[in-house]
C-alpha cells in the first residue's frame, strides 16, 4: 500500500529536549516536505526536499532541521523544542513530475511543555 | 496580510445541496491551484488541481480558477454526510515547485 508514515503520532516533551519525528514513504518519490498546522493559520511549510541531499527552507524554518540522506526518509529534528512549537505536524511526498503534494502522512501531534 | 485567504466557516448545508467554497489570493504569479480535503484527525488528501485559469471537473467536484479576480472555487454537487470535512486550498508559482501556500481551511458540515 502506498503511504507516508510518520512516527510518533503523539509526543509530549519538555522544553529543550531534542527530538526527531520520522517520515518515510514507500513510493520512490523525489519530493518530500514538512508542514505544521495551527488553528486559524492552516498548513505552513517548514522545509522541503527535491531529492537526496537537496533541502530548502519553507516559510517557517526557524527552530527546525531536516536531512535527506535516503530517498525514502525525511526526518524533522527539533534541537531545542520550545512551547511555541506545539503543533500538528505533517509530512508529505510526491513525484516531481506528478501531482503536487499528493500524499500526506497521518500527522504527529507534538506538545512541548 | 496572508497570501491566501479562506473563510474558516463552518459552512453547514443539508444533504443533497451544492457546497460552494472559495479562496482569494494576492500573488498574481500563482499558477497551480489545489484543493485538499482533510477529515478530523487525518492528513490532507489531494482532491483536485488545476493549472492556470479555467474549470476542471471530477465526478461531483468542480474546480474553477479566475486569475483576473484572483479567486478560486470548489463546488461539490449532491453533497453527502461523508463530505463533512475541512477543505483547504493551496497554490504555488511556476518556478517554486516545492513551496505551496495554503489557505486556513473551511470546515464543511453536511447534515442528513
Amino acid at each position: 500500500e502506498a503511504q507516508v508514515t510518520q512516527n510518533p503520532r503523539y509526543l509530549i516533551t519538555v522544553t529543550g529536549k531534542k527530538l526527531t519525528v520520522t517520515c518515510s514513504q514507500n513510493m520512490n518519490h523525489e519530493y518530500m516536505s514538512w508542514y505544521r498546522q495551527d488553528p486559524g493559520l492552516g498548513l505552513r511549510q517548514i522545509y522541503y526536499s527535491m531529492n537526496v541531499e537537496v533541502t530548502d527552507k519553507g516559510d517557517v524554518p526557524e527552530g527546525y532541521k531536516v536531512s535527506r540522506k535516503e530517498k525514502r526518509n525525511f526526518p524533522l529534528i527539533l534541537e531545542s523544542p520550545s512551547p511555541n512549537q506545539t503543533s500538528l505536524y505533517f509530512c508529505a511526498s510526491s513525484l516531481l513530475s506528478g501531482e503536487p503534494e499528493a500524499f500526506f502522512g497521518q500527522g504527529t501531534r507534538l506538545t512541548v511543555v | 496580510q496572508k497570501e491566501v485567504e479562506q473563510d474558516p466557516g463552518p459552512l453547514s448545508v443539508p444533504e443533497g445541496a451544492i457546497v460552494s467554497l472559495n479562496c482569494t489570493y494576492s500573488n498574481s504569479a500563482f499558477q497551480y491551484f489545489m484543493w485538499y480535503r482533510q477529515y478530523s484527525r487525518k492528513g490532507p488528501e489531494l482532491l483536485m488541481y488545476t493549472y492556470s485559469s479555467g474549470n476542471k471537473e471530477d465526478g461531483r467536484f468542480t474546480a474553477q480558477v479566475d486569475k483576473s479576480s484572483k479567486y478560486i472555487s470548489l463546488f461539490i454537487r449532491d453533497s453527502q454526510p461523508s463530505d463533512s470535512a475541512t477543505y483547504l486550498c493551496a497554490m504555488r508559482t511556476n518556478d517554486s515547485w516545492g513551496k505551496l501556500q495554503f489557505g486556513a481551511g473551511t470546515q464543511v458540515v453536511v447534515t442528513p
Side-chain angles (χ1 to χ4, degrees), chain B residues 27-47:
Chain B
N27 187 349
S28 58
F30 285 142
Q31 293 275 22
Y32 288 86
F33 304 92
M34 283 72 73
W35 285 97
Y36 290 83
R37 177 176 62 197
Q38 185 176 21
Y39 291 114
S40 181
R41 302 178 190 276
K42 300 286 189 182
E45 56 180 313
L46 180 65
L47 275 177

Side-chain angles (χ1 to χ4, degrees), chain A residues 5-22:
Chain A
T5 304
Q6 292 177 230
N7 279 297
R9 293 288 311 279
Y10 302 92
L11 178 60
I12 301 174
T13 190
V14 296
T15 298
K17 185 176 181 182
K18 180 180 178 179
L19 65 92
T20 299
V21 184
T22 64

Side-chain angles (χ1 to χ4, degrees), chain B residues 33 68 103 109:
Chain B
F33 304 92
S68 62
V109 179

Side-chain angles (χ1 to χ4, degrees), chain A residues 11-17 19 64 78 80-87 89 109-113:
Chain A
L11 178 60
I12 301 174
T13 190
V14 296
T15 298
K17 185 176 181 182
L19 65 92
Y64 305 94
L78 284 72
S80 182
S82 62
N84 64 11
Q85 292 178 299
T86 292
S87 187
Y89 291 86
R109 185 165 292 281
L110 172 66
T111 302
V112 183
V113 298

Side-chain angles (χ1 to χ4, degrees), chain B residues 2-6 23-26 30 89-91 101-104:
Chain B
K2 296 179 192 175
E3 279 193 288
V4 182
E5 298 281 355
Q6 186 177 7
C23 289
T24 59
Y25 62 94
S26 57
F30 285 142
C89 64
M91 45 199 81
Q101 294 294 327
F102 278 84

